[in-house]
Amino acid sequence: MKDISILAIESSCDETAAAVVKGGREVLSSVIHSQIDIHKKFGGVVPEVASRNHTLFINDIAAEALCRAGKTFEQIDAVAVTYGAGLLGALLVGVSYAKAISYALNIPLIAVDHTKGHIAANYITHKELQPPFICLVVSGGHTALFEIKSFAEHKVLGMSADDAVGEAFDKVARVLGLGYPGGPAVEEYAKRGSASIKLPVSRIGGYDFSYSGLKTSVLNYINSLKQKNQEINVGDVCASFQKAAIDVLVEKSIKACKQYNYKTLCLAGGVSANGYLRQAAEKKCQKYGIKLYYPLKEYCTDNAAMIGAEAYYSYINGDGVANLSLNAQAHISR
Ligand code: KG4
Ligand code: ZN
């Protein structure tokens, strides 16, 4: 089992990705074709355009992943695919492709939940990491705090009641004219400013999050300055927004570790590439004797290697194996 090689496919949003992962931990290859250049002129991902581009590229990307891993189709033990959550049309391309591979080669088909894939990005970055731990998943589509009791048990402690944190970064960047995706640009500008603008702190209780109030306040602040023809200090807006968006994530993650007695915290998802989040979490973790993990930057944003890692664990636990009736799911309820 330790040596099984999985060809993993990811097409839930605007990245067409394929990877070969051995034993859940060793990335033999990871190939990502990003459609950012195609979508940035629209200011965000256009679902139909994303699906059409996945169909154009998926074959070549999978072939490239096999080639870089030094494998042929016949040397693959199983094929894994993200079946949700994500854009339905985009997911269907990957799901159909993986089903065809599974059928043609007569190998198992493993259905992977994208969010669990993000969590598993930590397994390929940190070979020694084992559950149990608390994991904060922060991306363009998700903001959630998980209790990972074992490789098979993922319990949601809380999630965003409205926008995801990455989505809020993207919207703020869009109004400031910083382009798409907005997270990295906001982080860069934040380094040149100070968090001097007072913004509302979400009062939502427990381990849930809310980003629509913060996002609206930032947009109102920018629009009111524009109406008065006053100059906008982009650095200050970015630094203030970033602090307000991220401090609450760190605070609730640490609170969960303390309340449930966990000594390990993991970060995952596109926003876990953010330097301010990493530093703020590191500082608090050191204070409370908690060990912090986050994925390599290339495994924070969407990729197929993380899907191959999660697929391995769900395969050996026996709960991820699907058949040819597998369908894509825009949402996965928890
Ligand atoms: O995980 P991901 O690639 O896709 C989803 O599953 O949603 O995450 C993409 C999100 C985008 O919203 C992007 O703006 C955000 O992650 N992101 C960042 C950074 N890098 C990517 N947000 C803040 N700071 C960053 N450095
Ligand atoms: Zn993602």
Side-chain angles (χ1 to χ4, degrees):
M1 275 301 212
K2 254 180 75 187
D3 284 342
I4 66 166
S5 290
I6 297 179
L7 171 65
I9 307 292
E10 155 63 43
S11 70
S12 66
C13 192
D14 60 342
E15 268 92 22
T16 318
V20 179
V21 180
K22 190 172 153 190
R25 299 275 175 163
E26 194 185 341
V27 181
L28 301 184
S29 65
S30 175
V31 184
I32 303 169
H33 176 264
S34 169
Q35 298 178 18
I36 284 178
D37 286 345
I38 299 168
H39 296 278
K40 73 178 175 202
K41 56 179 170 289
F42 305 110
V45 178
V46 183
E48 179 63 22
V49 175
S51 313
R52 285 168 189 252
N53 277 282
H54 286 314
T55 57
L56 289 179
F57 292 105
I58 196 154
N59 226 348
D60 289 348
I61 296 300
E64 181 68 25
L66 284 170
C67 177
R68 287 194 204 170
K71 299 262 182 203
T72 63
F73 275 116
E74 288 70 28
Q75 292 169 323
I76 291 299
D77 302 301
V79 59
V81 65
T82 306
Y83 75 99
L87 303 170
L88 204 51
L91 287 161
L92 276 169
V93 178
V95 167
S96 310
Y97 183 83
K99 279 190 199 176
I101 300 285
S102 164
Y103 181 70
L105 298 175
N106 194 23
I107 54 173
L109 173 67
I110 307 165
V112 177
D113 172 341
H114 184 80
T115 304
K116 291 184 184 172
H118 273 303
I119 296 167
N122 283 290
Y123 300 143
I124 49 182
T125 304
H126 310 285
K127 308 274 190 262
E128 77 287 2
L129 175 66
Q130 302 279 338
F133 55 82
I134 295 288
C135 188
L136 173 72
V137 182
V138 277
S139 70
H142 305 89
T143 305
L145 205 50
F146 285 87
E147 196 181 351
I148 311 296
K149 296 182 176 185
S150 70
F151 286 109
E153 285 174 283
H154 300 64
K155 183 179 169 202
V156 179
L157 295 174
M159 55 170 63
S160 178
D162 38 59
D163 297 355
V165 60
E167 197 181 344
F169 268 89
D170 292 337
K171 283 192 183 146
V172 167
R174 188 172 174 169
V175 176
L176 289 171
L178 306 182
Y180 173 82
V186 169
E187 182 180 358
E188 266 324 293
Y189 275 92
K191 288 178 191 157
R192 304 174 212 169
S194 74
S196 53
I197 304 162
K198 232 182 142 28
L199 293 169
V201 178
S202 155
R203 299 249 170 264
I204 199 159
Y207 292 108
D208 287 329
F209 304 96
S210 168
Y211 281 97
S212 71
L214 173 61
K215 179 195 72 190
T216 308
S217 308
V218 177
L219 302 195
N220 286 345
Y221 174 84
I222 295 166
N223 288 334
S224 75
L225 286 188
K226 275 185 186 164
Q227 273 164 9
K228 290 185 240 159
N229 259 335
Q230 287 176 3
E231 204 185 316
I232 297 165
N233 185 324
V234 177
D236 286 357
V237 174
C238 289
S240 307
F241 162 75
Q242 180 173 259
K243 182 172 166 42
I246 284 183
D247 285 356
V248 62
L249 295 170
V250 175
E251 183 197 308
K252 293 199 178 186
S253 302
I254 298 292
K255 192 174 145 197
C257 289
K258 285 178 14 190
Q259 178 171 352
Y260 296 105
N261 208 15
Y262 280 85
K263 287 280 165 230
T264 307
L265 171 66
C266 294
L267 310 177
V271 182
S272 68
N274 184 280
Y276 178 85
L277 168 61
R278 291 174 169 204
Q279 278 164 25
E282 191 63 70
K283 212 167 139 188
K284 282 276 155 63
C285 281
Q286 273 176 18
K287 182 169 173 193
Y288 294 106
I290 298 164
K291 179 114 178 74
L292 178 70
Y293 291 92
Y294 40 77
L296 277 176
K297 285 209 173 168
E298 66 205 87
Y299 300 136
C300 287
T301 44
D302 288 352
N303 66 89
M306 67 184 196
I307 303 302
E310 169 55 25
Y312 172 80
Y313 290 103
S314 53
Y315 182 57
I316 58 172
N317 287 324
D319 55 4
V321 180
N323 59 35
L324 296 181
S325 66
L326 176 68
N327 209 347
Q329 273 179 236
H331 300 282
I332 294 178
S333 53
R334 297 181 198 285

